[in-house]
Amino acid sequence: MTSFNAEMNAMLDRLGPANDGFVVAALYKFVALDDIDGLLQTLQQLCDKNKVLGTILLAEEGINGTIAAPRDGMTKCLNWLETDGRFSQLSLKFSFSPDQPFLRMKVRPKREIVTMGCPEVNPDKRTGIYVDPKDWNGLIADPDVLLVDTRNSYETAIGMFAGAVDPITTNFREFPEWAQSLANQPADRRPKKIAMYCTGGIRCEKASALMQDMGFDEVYHLKGGILKYLEDVPAANSQWQGECFVFDGRVAVDHDLQPGSYNMCYACRMPLSAADVAHPSFEDGISCPYCKPDLVPERAARFAERQKQMRLAAERGEAHLGSNPRRKKNSPSKPESD
């Protein structure tokens, strides 16, 4: 079995020299954990010691997180995880960032490591059929397959697999309602096969188990999610269109798993293209074309004050916790003081 660090090194070798930047690892596993408090402290100390930033969530059902560190720090973190038998076969997806995409390290307890609001669904006991990235194109080419993107609308807005159905959800808690509406279709209209995908694979673990509980027999999901697909499938053979939204300061990654072309609106968290940033409704840190029509004066004033404090912190040479490490310096569409 390939070790965690061997996987990381193979990814970095494909990207070329990456010694001066940061390795980003998206990880999860559904596994019973009964010592959450002890793990919280151990993982926080491990990450702090090795200059690892990001977020790790722990629950009785498992672990989920995205972290970033210099290569040496990530190596030591992965070594620790690999020595704990509970985290063997951890789902890992790697990418690279020239800058640290996180502001701090948070290890937090949660009821669910990915929140769907259906506690009866247990992917550790039952889930859909895993499909390796190399086999994904063949599956979704089947006319009997309904291809479903389980992510939210702010994620699907910047990239999807060709031909995928978008449930148009704003959070994962809304997915069961969409799934139930599909299950309620007459038998002759229900899809024979369902293929599901998400960013790193974790949402599909629960979503595919839910669909099975609703009576769908053939439910498949992309192993490792979009990130693993982009890592394993050459761009020339890819069915992916656009960029992939990620939950850190990079905002999105391209097919080479390098930081993409999008920025983010602080007010509504929508990814913003260069055209969005150039739009008259865009005010840095306050509004964008997507949220300006619904922005009430009180929120606008609060966001403006936050921007002021960020600017003052920058003038003092201090880091403000509300600042965005993804923000491009000297961008012609933004004041140089940002």
Side-chain angles (χ1 to χ4, degrees), residues 139-328:
L139 172 66
I140 64 177
D142 185 340
D144 289 333
V145 169
L146 176 70
L147 180 60
V148 179
D149 192 320
T150 66
R151 301 172 304 152
N152 300 315
S153 55
Y154 59 86
E155 300 169 81
T156 60
I158 65 172
M160 295 177 67
F161 277 106
V165 171
D166 183 358
I168 314 179
T169 57
T170 57
N171 64 70
F172 195 43
R173 284 181 175 273
E174 297 175 4
F175 184 82
E177 182 179 355
W178 179 87
Q180 188 62 61
S181 67
L182 186 67
N184 290 340
Q185 295 288 326
D188 60 344
R189 296 178 58 186
R190 285 163 56 103
K192 297 178 181 178
K193 306 174 186 177
I194 297 175
M196 316 176 83
Y197 69 89
C198 56
T199 307
I202 186 169
R203 276 177 279 189
C204 286
E205 298 267 9
K206 282 195 170 182
S208 62
L210 175 72
M211 299 299 273
Q212 287 179 318
D213 290 346
M214 291 181 172
F216 293 96
D217 295 325
E218 289 193 61
V219 185
Y220 303 86
H221 55 106
L222 178 58
K223 187 175 183 179
I226 303 162
L227 293 177
K228 193 64 177 174
Y229 181 90
L230 298 182
E231 185 178 337
D232 290 355
V233 177
N237 301 331
S238 178
Q239 292 297 307
W240 178 256
Q241 299 177 343
E243 295 183 9
C244 178
F245 184 94
V246 290
F247 296 87
D248 59 58
R250 296 170 297 171
V251 182
V253 294
D254 61 21
H255 207 291
D256 295 322
L257 295 172
Q258 298 286 348
S261 61
Y262 287 82
N263 282 276
M264 181 177 284
C265 175
Y266 269 129
C268 68
R269 316 306 291 176
M270 278 293 292
L272 303 177
S273 66
D276 294 329
V277 172
H279 193 278
S281 294
F282 175 78
E283 294 183 74
D284 194 23
I286 301 174
S287 66
C288 75
Y290 300 99
C291 64
K292 178 74 170 181
D294 300 319
L295 185 63
V296 298
E298 292 80 5
R299 284 174 60 85
R302 188 166 70 252
F303 294 151
E305 178 62 24
R306 178 178 59 185
Q307 282 300 104
K308 175 183 175 181
Q309 295 304 320
M310 289 168 57
R311 184 174 64 253
L312 292 174
E315 291 172 355
R316 295 192 299 268
E318 301 172 355
H320 189 279
L321 291 182
S323 61
N324 183 356
R326 171 68 174 84
R327 180 163 296 156
K328 299 173 182 175

